[in-house]
Amino acid sequence: MAQFRSATQFSQALSAPYWGVKPRDTMNIELLGISSEQLEPSTSGYPSDWEEFDVLMELDLCFENHQTDSVFFEFYVASPKAIENRTINSFMPPTLVLEEFDWNVIKRHISKLLLHANGSNSWAEVATRLSGQIKPTSLSCFPF
């Protein structure tokens, strides 16, 4: 684990470029796939309950033209009824609330969301720009 002597050193490491991306190079984010282990099949299935669903979705993202270095992010897709049944007085995970589960609508929302991360030069910057909407499944992509 890296040790930092100052907050500046920590900040520089956090914004360090990812896998050969130079600090001044900015990259667009590419969506390689959307899936859910809770659905069958995982890339095109539907929840069994059309009125009350709360499905964990996984995004496979990469910097443009760096497909072998992809990183996974996650979020939930939930119906309003499922949101009502979540625990009160607690934080909610990043969630897209939809009246009905629709893969095309989900993909459109994610495509629009990822535009906000274009121009990033590190996964830390991507995660910061998209925080509250989606979250990384692992911190292994961050240079700590």
Side-chain angles (χ1 to χ4, degrees):
M1 177 167 284
Q3 293 189 13
F4 303 100
R5 296 179 187 199
S6 69
T8 302
Q9 215 178 28
F10 175 75
S11 177
Q12 288 170 341
L14 187 61
S15 63
Y18 176 75
W19 286 309
V21 179
K22 297 175 189 152
R24 293 231 161 91
D25 289 346
T26 57
M27 304 290 279
N28 291 331
I29 301 300
E30 186 176 334
L31 174 62
L32 298 177
I34 302 176
S35 63
S36 174
E37 292 181 4
Q38 295 176 336
L39 303 175
E40 186 60 42
S42 65
T43 57
S44 62
Y46 286 87
S48 56
D49 187 337
W50 286 81
E51 300 220 354
E52 187 177 341
F53 54 87
D54 201 350
V55 180
L56 179 63
M57 306 294 289
E58 191 171 74
L59 302 175
D60 187 4
L61 305 178
C62 70
F63 281 116
E64 196 171 51
N65 300 318
H66 288 83
Q67 288 83 1
T68 57
D69 299 323
S70 68
V71 173
F72 291 94
F73 282 72
E74 65 186 16
F75 68 102
Y76 285 84
V77 175
S79 66
K81 190 172 183 179
I83 295 295
E84 289 176 10
N85 293 325
R86 283 194 178 170
T87 306
I88 296 174
N89 295 324
S90 66
F91 293 101
M92 278 198 201
T95 304
L96 173 61
V97 181
L98 297 176
E99 287 290 335
E100 55 184 66
F101 190 95
D102 184 324
W103 282 97
N104 291 323
V105 172
I106 295 166
K107 288 174 186 173
R108 270 198 314 272
H109 279 283
I110 293 302
S111 294
K112 287 180 185 177
L113 176 65
L114 295 179
L115 292 175
H116 296 283
N118 284 345
S120 299
N121 65 15
S122 70
W123 284 113
E125 186 175 352
V126 171
T128 299
R129 288 183 182 194
L130 302 179
S131 67
Q133 310 302 313
I134 62 175
K135 68 176 186 169
T137 59
S138 167
L139 296 179
S140 65
C141 61
F142 298 97
F144 294 115

